[in-house]
Amino acid sequence: MTIEKLPPTAFDEFLAYLNDHLSDNGRDGTAYFQPLPRDASRFPPEKAEAFRNGLRIEVGKPGWRRAWVARADDGAIAGHIDLRGLPENYTRHRCLLGMGVDRKHRQQGLGSQLIAHAENWALLAGVQWVDLQVLSVNTPAIKLYERSGYRKTGEIPNMFLLDGKHYSYTFMTRRLR
Ligand SMILES: CC(C)(COP(=O)(O)OP(=O)(O)OC[C@H]1O[C@@H](n2cnc3c(N)ncnc32)[C@H](O)[C@@H]1OP(=O)(O)O)[C@@H](O)C(=O)NCCC(=O)NCCS
């Protein structure tokens, strides 16, 4: 498995992978991992545009984003991780993490590898803290983050109402240096 930076020119392929990934959200034994109802589990167009544009924005400037993909031997995307700036001013020393591993490639250590890869980049870019948000019901992700050194900083109970049920939101962080 190779992990490579996502160039802006490969964004359409990435978006197709991401929408396939999102089709698992809350279905067939997979916990909700995005705060979207099952039938709306696609990457919203306005967020896709912000993602695409963010890849070209200088790190530290408002809206910046970087992403990496893991590719299987056949070249298909097997997992991804992305880092982006926080919306608040005066937070250049922090970033927000998002990630996922394709259903065929889970439980093989790829999630841990993707986190280590992105954190190495973040350290070199001068980022000191990595923050993330995760649905509290998403036990596989929370276990992975805890194993990778992330600690819970808070939780909003019943933050989302998805398909008739409430879901809490957990906040986690890791200090890189
Ligand atoms: C959460 C998610 C990213 C984890 O990815 P992953 O690649 O399965 O993570 P890892 O393989 O590194 O770790 C998962 C488990 O596999 C185990 N594992 C790692 N390497 C292994 C190997 N070679 N053989 C068997 N098991 C292994 C780990 O010990 C870990 O065990 P655990 O269940 O006790 O925690 C993945 O389940 C996913 O994409 N879920 C849907 C999207 C999502 O939740 N994204 C995060 C939103 S906040």
Side-chain angles (χ1 to χ4, degrees):
M1 204 72 79
T2 56
I3 298 178
E4 58 189 48
K5 201 170 195 174
L6 180 74
T9 48
F11 187 76
D12 287 342
E13 177 204 8
F14 177 67
L15 191 58
Y17 149 85
L18 211 52
N19 278 322
D20 176 56
H21 181 72
L22 278 171
S23 70
D24 290 345
N25 192 38
R27 284 187 199 274
D28 301 328
T30 303
Y32 282 92
F33 55 85
Q34 278 293 319
L36 293 167
R38 274 193 290 265
D39 288 344
S41 288
R42 292 185 66 76
F43 211 59
E46 68 282 4
K47 285 199 173 179
E49 272 323 288
F51 198 130
R52 185 196 300 270
N53 295 336
L55 297 174
R56 296 188 192 274
I57 296 175
E58 192 183 319
V59 174
K61 295 261 168 73
W64 76 266
R65 195 148 182 163
R66 295 294 179 274
W68 295 263
V69 291
R71 289 195 185 271
D73 292 345
D74 63 0
I77 297 177
H80 74 281
I81 190 158
D82 73 273
L83 299 177
R84 63 188 191 277
L86 275 64
E88 293 85 359
N89 287 333
Y90 310 112
T91 55
R92 291 179 64 127
H93 57 298
R94 314 186 75 93
C95 68
L96 272 169
L97 180 152
M99 69 177 300
V101 170
D102 180 78
R103 59 187 83 83
K104 294 195 295 292
H105 298 281
R106 293 181 189 153
Q107 301 277 310
Q108 295 163 38
L110 185 53
S112 307
Q113 281 177 52
L114 284 163
I115 291 176
H117 192 93
E119 287 181 349
N120 282 339
W121 178 89
L123 266 173
L124 292 173
V127 172
Q128 295 169 17
W129 293 83
V130 181
D131 302 308
L132 63 86
Q133 293 140 13
V134 54
L135 286 163
S136 307
V137 76
N138 190 355
T139 309
I142 291 176
K143 277 168 73 180
L144 168 64
Y145 297 141
E146 284 175 341
R147 234 183 322 108
S148 301
Y150 288 75
R151 296 291 165 258
K152 181 171 166 175
T153 51
E155 183 172 27
I156 300 183
N158 291 356
M159 169 121 177
F160 299 103
L161 179 57
L162 306 172
D163 298 318
K165 270 186 72 179
H166 287 101
Y167 292 88
S168 303
Y169 215 24
T170 291
F171 295 73
M172 301 182 85
T173 197
R174 176 163 192 236
R175 185 179 194 152
L176 298 181
R177 66 184 162 104

